[in-house]
Amino acid sequence: GNRNEKIQTAVQEVAAEFLAREATPQSLITVTRVMLSNDAKRATIFITVLPETSEGPALLFAQRNRRELADFFRTRIRGAFPPHFEFKLDLGEKNRQRLDELS
């Protein structure tokens, strides 16, 4: 519904801001999309990382800082309870980029 779309958008914006502020400048972490569970209690945040050699460390960094992201979410989105965050590499986006390179 509309409520879940708003939460999804809020998670994407807050996660992008958080990662931009907290991640090291050696890599660029981009939030590509967010999947929210039907009950809005779990959010899977899909990211891409440049350079690709930094994907592992960036994913570990994001997973390690989920509690800090939840705290940051609370300061940004008043009155909303943050969902449980999971981070995954966006392989669909990676495949799309690879196809662009080949064509």
Side-chain angles (χ1 to χ4, degrees), residues 7-21 31 45 68-77 85:
I7 295 170
Q8 215 167 329
T9 301
V11 168
Q12 186 161 349
E13 290 172 0
V14 170
E17 184 182 347
F18 176 79
L19 291 170
R21 290 171 54 151
V31 175
I45 301 167
E68 289 80 358
L69 173 57
D71 293 341
F72 186 70
F73 185 89
R74 281 187 201 94
T75 66
R76 283 287 186 268
I77 312 297
F85 298 116

Side-chain angles (χ1 to χ4, degrees), residues 26-97:
Q26 285 89 355
S27 62
L28 173 66
I29 304 173
T30 304
V31 175
T32 54
R33 61 192 169 105
V34 171
M35 276 180 44
L36 201 61
S37 64
N38 290 336
D39 60 6
K41 291 186 177 179
R42 290 180 314 285
T44 303
I45 301 167
F46 290 89
I47 60 172
T48 57
V49 181
L50 290 174
E52 281 188 27
T53 54
S54 297
E55 284 179 344
L59 189 58
L60 286 172
F61 165 82
Q63 292 284 45
R64 233 185 6 253
N65 286 280
R66 290 180 295 186
R67 181 174 289 138
E68 289 80 358
L69 173 57
D71 293 341
F72 186 70
F73 185 89
R74 281 187 201 94
T75 66
R76 283 287 186 268
I77 312 297
R78 299 263 182 235
F81 190 77
H84 172 76
F85 298 116
E86 256 330 295
F87 284 92
K88 290 190 176 175
L89 292 174
D90 192 341
L91 300 177
E93 178 63 17
K94 199 172 178 174
N95 291 337
R96 187 196 64 75
Q97 289 172 354

